[in-house]
Amino acid sequence: MSEYCGYDEKQVFSLYSKMEEKLGHHRYIHSVGVAGTAVSLAMKYGVNVYKAQIAGILHDCAKCYEDEELVKLCLKKGIEISEFEEEHGFLLHAKYGAYMAENKYGISDEDILNAIRWHTTGRENMSLLEKIVFISDYIEPTRNKAADLPQIRYEAFNGNDIDKVLLMIMRDTIKYLNASDNSIDTTTIRAYEFYEKR
Ligand code: DGI
Ligand code: FE
Ligand code: FE
């Protein structure tokens, strides 16, 4: 019980049904995939598997809102947002997701909340759980479009350097954003530069 960081099994699995109701089918299947992948990586890298499962199933819990709605919701709840986030509202599903996880789904574990909060941009100095959720989001089974997926999946499960996996994903994401003429948040750049220097 305590390993479930204070939540009992029923509560944890009720999060699955809540996400199934809240998210569309495709997004729900993605979230189940992230939870499963995060659990597997948690076993490999020595992280609490239940925290990985909870963070994985909830990471996109705010994905059901439109960009402008996310901006409004954040302002209403007093969540600080940058000018860049105001213009790229979809990024806020991570921040607002952490808010919902805490206030709607009763999660108090700060590491789980941070894993949700930073799952889109990443950040400098991420915890192991944050890295695991960030990586799982990119490699879970229903993802199939990203560049270098086979190599990244291989490295995540067969390598011994999780930062190397992180860097492969960050590099590909920035490359993709540049190629598709998308502007990049400073948090994303700072995270990439932090891990590139290591
Ligand atoms: O919510 P998901 O689709 O499961 O995944 P996610 O939350 O990681 O979002 C992925 C998208 O976010 C992907 O298309 C890359 C984009 N993204 C990540 N960092 C930035 C960004 N987009 C912009 N414009 N700027 C960023 O810094
Ligand atoms: Fe997301
Ligand atoms: Fe996701």
Side-chain angles (χ1 to χ4, degrees):
M1 209 71 100
S2 61
E3 273 198 287
Y4 254 115
C5 27
Y7 313 105
D8 68 32
E9 248 174 63
K10 268 196 188 144
Q11 272 178 303
V12 173
F13 283 97
S14 80
L15 296 175
Y16 278 72
S17 7
K18 284 176 186 159
M19 288 306 105
E20 188 172 20
E21 255 172 54
K22 182 104 188 160
L23 306 171
H25 178 72
H26 180 76
R27 182 63 45 186
Y28 173 65
I29 296 299
H30 162 68
S31 302
V32 171
V34 173
T37 307
V39 164
S40 311
L41 288 174
M43 288 175 185
K44 173 173 165 68
Y45 292 97
V47 164
N48 182 306
V49 292
Y50 307 112
K51 287 195 191 195
Q53 188 176 28
I54 294 168
I57 194 65
L58 286 181
H59 81 286
D60 273 340
C61 68
K63 198 78 180 187
C64 50
Y65 300 110
E66 300 292 337
D67 296 11
E68 308 85 72
E69 246 178 320
L70 283 166
V71 173
K72 276 191 205 147
L73 285 165
C74 283
L75 294 175
K76 190 172 144 195
K77 302 294 181 189
I79 301 167
E80 233 176 80
I81 65 174
S82 66
E83 211 171 293
F84 190 91
E85 287 171 326
E86 198 172 340
E87 284 160 17
H88 302 82
F90 73 95
L91 289 173
L92 290 169
H93 78 276
K95 251 185 197 176
Y96 195 67
Y99 176 88
M100 283 179 73
E102 182 171 11
N103 295 284
K104 185 166 179 186
Y105 302 115
I107 307 300
S108 53
D109 185 279
E110 203 50 46
D111 202 15
I112 297 180
L113 298 176
N114 280 331
I116 299 173
R117 188 173 290 125
W118 301 106
H119 85 263
T120 304
T121 57
R123 64 162 166 169
E124 296 154 289
N125 237 332
M126 293 163 85
S127 75
L128 252 184
L129 181 67
E130 290 172 41
K131 292 175 188 176
I132 283 174
V133 172
F134 183 86
I135 293 168
S136 302
D137 193 23
Y138 200 83
I139 68 172
E140 63 87 11
T142 69
R143 295 279 205 212
N144 53 24
K145 290 200 186 76
D148 306 328
L149 258 185
Q151 296 92 311
I152 294 172
R153 284 179 172 146
Y154 183 89
E155 196 59 40
F157 285 94
N158 298 286
N160 283 311
D161 183 1
I162 197 168
D163 288 356
K164 185 175 168 189
V165 185
L166 212 54
L167 196 55
M168 288 166 97
I169 295 173
M170 288 174 172
R171 189 179 288 138
D172 280 356
T173 301
I174 289 174
K175 219 191 275 173
Y176 161 81
L177 289 171
N178 278 329
S180 51
D181 240 3
N182 271 303
S183 36
I184 304 174
D185 194 292
T186 48
T187 317
T188 305
I189 300 284
R190 276 207 311 269
Y192 172 70
E193 287 174 349
F194 178 88
Y195 286 100
E196 198 196 24
K197 278 188 202 116
R198 313 193 88 215

